[in-house]
Amino acid sequence: MKNIEKRKVGFLEELVEQAKAKTGASLQEVKMLRKKANANVCTLGKTGVSANVNEFVVETLNGIIHELRLQSGDKVAVLIMGMGKKPTYGDIVIHREVSKILKSKNIQIVFIDTAVKIMSNRPSGMAISLMKLDSELEQLIKVPYGTSTFRT
């Protein structure tokens, strides 16, 4: 993948971690869930995403699908992040392309958010995170959230 790099973001993990804590789980149970969530998330991004958004999405998703070993029938949570000064319309185009590609591979999107803007010292760009969901993660990602990063 040209200039696409792996990033550690943690937002999807934060959502399920907070949902688990809301259930009254112990700190140890929340920590174990966070470890499982971390193992099921991949974030890839690129600075300077320009006119060829489709190429960025295809390359990024192919890398994430390979990394997470996603297969037909799997369920995922998706987070599309604008970095720096990227306009919001880029998020909308990427949202549409991500949805189209995952649907074509019979990978079900359970949760998708494009609202996050990360102010970065890097030039503008985009990043996509996917979390492969098992039944527990799927249940938790559906809980209404209100973290330091997100608000519903």
Side-chain angles (χ1 to χ4, degrees):
M1 290 179 292
K2 297 180 276 184
N3 302 319
I4 294 179
E5 55 191 40
K6 193 167 187 175
R7 298 184 176 172
K8 188 65 185 155
V9 181
F11 296 142
L12 290 171
E13 297 95 310
E14 183 180 344
L15 292 177
V16 294
E17 185 178 48
Q18 182 190 67
K20 182 73 171 182
K22 285 182 178 180
T23 69
S26 70
L27 181 58
Q28 185 60 32
E29 290 170 320
V30 173
K31 285 181 178 181
M32 287 173 46
L33 176 84
R34 178 69 180 229
K35 186 175 181 178
K36 177 169 82 168
N38 283 338
N40 285 289
V41 170
C42 181
T43 302
L44 296 178
K46 180 177 181 179
T47 56
V49 175
S50 59
N52 201 341
V53 171
N54 292 353
E55 181 180 308
F56 162 75
V57 173
V58 169
E59 288 181 14
T60 302
L61 279 181
N62 283 339
I64 293 172
I65 289 167
H66 175 75
E67 180 83 17
L68 293 177
R69 297 183 180 134
L70 293 173
Q71 300 176 1
S72 176
D74 283 340
K75 295 179 181 182
V76 295
V78 180
L79 186 61
I80 299 164
M81 296 162 281
M83 320 265 302
K85 301 171 185 154
K86 185 70 181 165
T88 335
Y89 69 82
D91 296 351
I92 296 165
V93 171
I94 291 174
H95 179 288
R96 182 186 64 229
E97 291 303 309
V98 165
S99 298
K100 184 171 72 174
I101 291 168
L102 292 177
K103 184 178 181 180
S104 75
K105 295 181 180 296
N106 195 34
I107 297 171
Q108 181 184 349
I109 298 172
V110 172
F111 169 92
I112 188 165
D113 196 330
T114 58
V116 177
K117 289 284 176 237
I118 302 171
M119 296 314 291
S120 172
N121 60 356
R122 295 180 179 173
S124 64
M126 299 294 291
I128 300 173
S129 287
L130 264 67
M131 176 187 285
K132 184 176 182 178
L133 303 173
D134 63 11
S135 59
E136 180 184 28
L137 292 172
E138 179 181 358
Q139 179 184 3
L140 293 170
I141 200 74
K142 293 177 180 178
V143 172
Y145 52 87
T147 69
S148 59
T149 308
F150 298 99
R151 298 283 182 252
T152 56

